[in-house]
Amino acid sequence: MRDVEWGLDPELIEHVDMSTLAVRAGGKRSAEGEHSEALFMTSSFVYASAEEAARRFSGAEPGNIYSRFTNPTVAMFERRLAAMEGAERCVATSSGMAAILAMCLALLSQGDEVVVSRSVFGTTRVLFDKYLAKLGICTHWVDLADVRDWERAVTAKTRLFFLESPSNPLGEVADIAALAALAHQHAALLAVDNCLCTPVLQRPLQLGADLVIHSATKFIDGQGRALGGAVLGSQKLMDEVFGYIRTCGASMSPFNAWIFLKGLETLPLRIQAQSAAALSLARWLVQQPQIEQVFYGGLEQHPHHERAAHQQSAFAPLLSFVVHGGREAAWRFIDHTRIFSITGNLGDTKSTITHPATTTHGRLSEADKQASGIVEGLIRLSVGLESVDDLQADLARALASL
Ligand SMILES: *Cc1c(COP(=O)(O)O)cnc(C)c1O
């Protein structure tokens, strides 16, 4: 007789490929024997007796109490993503920003210092500079790719390094193993926002990082439907993060977890196809005379190509380029595409086109834009699953308008 409780026998998790984990890991069946993961749309759970309730609440007996703490659908998502990242444990959150905040508030205290890459998501910069600063947590901003810059920023109070690699939108790449070693030398933790590569292309914990952050809103959903996030790492660190989430309430909705479980199933296929399409478009774009520069880690001429090729199994499906003629030309280019969606989102099966200087990075000061390479002629593409020929024709149409 087969034991059908688990979607994948937990003993097999260490021995199967990423695609198998993506489809099956963490799935757990109810007594109904459903094949597809069940959606437990319930806020609370009941007990057979007052005594059982007391045992659950005291922690003497494991089990669900309330969906702000645990929910079976959310737990399936957490186990699946943990298996894919090679983490002991995952804590799901209501958004990617909630994941970063939960990690910081669970692990940092007033007076601690953090070192953060200047090339992080715009809202992440605001979180550190405005809200964490208010709590007495001081941030030093450094160059993602320059290990010596990180070293110079370390003080006796440094507790955390935080970065995104590759960066959005310029595709700069950090040496994750070197930064993990540096952080550990100073008794600090290294956290990597792995939103753009996902575990399919890069596994930061294997490279020495202590924590991985995700915005599930992007490639994990992949179809632009739901907001969610996750923090992953050791059991010990995640116990702290879980304690914060169940107390402060930024828990993932079971409905969103159910969507993300389905998203994970196709993630390896989607990201490989989107990555191949992005490389093909980048190779075509560099040949176009109206384009000043293309930023894509998959191109040999990108300054971090070697490092990306060593650290990642392929290149994230996000690329950017600068058109001659500044903002006016960039806006004209964007307005003349007919397939790409004009939106700030990324990671979707639908390709998107963005003008970072006036949208995603619009809140940066002029000096910060300069330092981060966010020039007025810069355009970002997140490459989806449409035919690459149709996408190229759309870009050619836009180029012809310049
Ligand atoms: C979108 C994004 C976030 C924030 O995620 P939300 O789910 O929108 O809160 C964090 N990091 C990166 C790299 C992102 O792209």
Side-chain angles (χ1 to χ4, degrees):
M1 284 250 285
R2 287 273 303 271
D3 180 349
V4 295
E5 184 185 15
W6 294 100
L8 179 70
D9 183 337
E11 284 176 13
L12 291 178
I13 283 179
E14 308 260 303
H15 306 286
V16 299
D17 289 340
M18 182 64 76
S19 312
T20 307
L21 296 175
V23 173
R24 291 186 167 271
K28 191 175 187 208
R29 299 196 175 92
S30 77
E32 300 292 339
E34 67 282 356
H35 190 203
S36 184
E37 293 78 6
L39 169 53
F40 287 88
M41 207 67 199
T42 179
S43 52
S44 59
F45 300 83
V46 297
Y47 314 101
S49 67
E51 198 205 328
E52 187 185 69
R55 282 203 305 271
R56 286 277 177 93
F57 273 76
S58 74
E61 175 185 302
N64 298 301
I65 296 174
Y66 189 54
S67 286
R68 173 155 42 77
F69 312 170
T70 61
N71 171 281
T73 308
V74 176
M76 287 192 269
F77 167 74
E78 291 172 331
R79 286 191 297 262
R80 183 164 298 172
L81 188 57
M84 292 171 74
E85 284 285 4
E88 281 176 18
R89 187 172 174 198
C90 168
V91 177
T93 60
S94 56
S95 69
M97 291 317 303
I100 300 173
L101 180 66
M103 171 184 74
C104 290
L105 293 190
L107 301 177
L108 300 173
S109 304
Q110 187 181 21
D112 287 349
E113 296 186 3
V114 294
V115 186
V116 184
S117 154
R118 236 175 252 122
S119 310
V120 289
F121 187 63
T123 312
T124 305
R125 287 180 75 139
V126 181
L127 176 70
F128 280 100
D129 262 348
K130 184 165 179 192
Y131 296 101
L132 291 169
K134 230 166 38 170
L135 303 179
I137 296 165
C138 167
T139 303
H140 299 277
W141 296 98
V142 295
D143 180 340
L144 173 69
D146 181 358
V147 177
R148 280 166 311 171
D149 208 19
W150 291 80
E151 193 161 16
R152 280 192 293 270
V154 173
T155 74
K157 295 178 178 168
T158 306
R159 292 284 169 274
L160 180 72
F161 285 12
F162 182 82
L163 62 88
E164 267 168 45
S165 182
S167 69
N168 165 16
L170 299 182
E172 305 152 285
V173 177
D175 184 338
I176 294 177
L179 289 175
L182 179 65
H184 297 159
Q185 204 182 311
H186 296 280
L189 299 168
L190 171 65
V192 176
D193 182 333
N194 202 25
C195 168
L196 295 192
C197 270
T198 81
V200 177
L201 303 186
Q202 169 174 280
R203 304 224 289 169
L205 299 175
Q206 267 68 21
L207 296 166
D210 304 284
L211 295 141
V212 167
I213 291 285
H214 275 289
S215 166
T217 317
K218 311 292 170 54
F219 289 99
I220 290 178
D221 173 15
Q223 288 148 80
R225 299 164 293 190
L227 284 169
V231 191
L232 299 104
S234 67
Q235 183 69 43
K236 185 163 169 274
L237 291 175
M238 289 311 100
D239 283 348
E240 297 297 325
V241 174
F242 173 67
Y244 168 85
I245 287 292
R246 65 171 274 174
T247 307
C248 298
S251 319
M252 179 178 280
S253 143
F255 184 75
N256 289 8
W258 179 78
I259 286 184
F260 296 137
L261 272 164
K262 294 290 136 198
L264 285 175
E265 292 182 10
T266 55
L267 179 64
L269 273 180
R270 279 188 283 113
I271 202 138
Q272 299 290 354
Q274 289 171 244
S275 168
L279 183 58
S280 157
L281 292 177
R283 286 191 174 139
W284 178 79
L285 282 165
V286 283
Q287 294 164 13
Q288 309 308 313
Q290 300 96 322
I291 290 178
E292 209 174 290
Q293 200 176 356
V294 178
F295 299 95
Y296 189 61
L299 295 175
E300 280 88 41
Q301 56 264 49
H302 191 284
H304 302 152
H305 172 73
E306 290 291 320
R307 191 183 282 171
H310 171 71
Q311 198 165 266
Q312 304 165 201
S313 64
F315 307 95
L318 201 76
L319 66 100
S320 62
F321 54 94
V322 179
V323 290
H324 289 294
R327 180 189 295 192
E328 196 202 329
W331 280 18
R332 188 166 340 122
F333 183 102
I334 291 170
D335 291 347
H336 279 82
T337 56
R338 287 164 67 185
I339 295 176
F340 282 85
S341 310
I342 305 175
T343 171
N345 198 21
L346 59 91
D348 204 288
T349 55
K350 295 179 176 67
S351 296
T352 66
I353 189 164
T354 309
H355 185 241
T358 51
T359 61
T360 52
H361 293 66
R363 276 184 294 185
L364 296 188
S365 68
E366 282 310 313
D368 280 345
K369 279 188 202 168
Q370 285 292 327
S372 316
I374 310 297
V375 299
E376 291 287 336
L378 185 74
I379 294 171
R380 185 192 77 192
L381 304 179
S382 168
V383 180
L385 284 180
E386 304 93 339
S387 141
V388 68
D389 293 338
D390 291 336
L391 293 177
Q392 187 176 310
D394 206 32
L395 297 176
R397 187 157 36 225
L399 272 179
S401 77
L402 296 185

